[in-house]
Amino acid sequence: MGGPFREKFPWGELRALLDPKAASEKRRRGLWVYAGFLFLLQGAGLLLLAPFLPRAWHPLLLALAFLGAGWLFLQALMALREGGPLGALVAVGLGAGLFFFLGVMGLLLRPWGLGLLPLGVMGFLHLVRRSEGALKGPSGAPGPGP
């Protein structure tokens, strides 16, 4: 059997993500692999749900969409404060949840509510970038996040 992280892509990157001694670049790639998988999974779920969700425009649903998205975003930021690779993973997972939640709410509030979908994508990407910074640490070396 080979040395550590000799597995083929993406398993080596995903294992490196949890190893604080792994190279920073490999950990960063692992985070992006994890984020990409979650994004594709959530996007496929939204595509499968789209034909079945009825239009249900109501101003309170729009308020619920913003409140729920804000709550998920704050939870992700709090997870990043915990530091370490698990905090970054939780933040990316909550970012994917933010994308999915705003996507479902956008489908319910069609046609104008579909504007929530790009907002969910931007929130997700912002949390992935913040998680990437949390893996590197404030000095650029591996360590706890913001």
Side-chain angles (χ1 to χ4, degrees):
M1 187 147 227
F5 310 120
R6 298 204 85 189
E7 296 94 6
K8 298 231 184 251
F9 180 82
W11 306 118
E13 279 77 6
L14 290 173
R15 284 190 191 215
L17 184 57
L18 294 175
D19 183 11
K21 296 175 186 172
S24 179
E25 182 63 27
K26 196 160 193 160
R27 295 177 78 203
R28 188 183 71 76
R29 279 194 315 254
L31 184 72
W32 278 101
V33 166
Y34 175 66
F37 170 74
L38 288 178
F39 186 76
L40 289 175
L41 184 67
Q42 303 297 335
L46 286 173
L47 283 175
L48 290 174
L49 281 175
F52 302 109
L53 286 177
R55 292 181 187 178
W57 174 257
H58 196 279
L60 290 178
L61 277 179
L62 187 60
L64 176 68
F66 286 119
L67 285 173
W71 182 78
L72 283 168
F73 191 78
L74 288 175
Q75 293 296 314
L77 291 179
M78 287 177 18
L80 283 174
R81 286 192 184 138
E82 295 295 321
L86 290 181
L89 290 175
V90 169
V92 169
L94 286 168
L98 169 77
F99 165 65
F100 187 76
F101 176 72
L102 285 177
V104 168
M105 294 305 279
L107 288 172
L108 285 172
L109 298 169
R110 280 184 293 229
W112 304 110
L114 290 177
L116 293 173
L117 195 59
L119 186 65
V121 171
M122 288 188 309
F124 174 70
L125 290 176
H126 177 76
L127 289 170
V128 172
R129 297 293 291 182
R130 292 279 304 258
S131 298
E132 195 176 25
L135 282 179
K136 284 192 259 181
S139 65

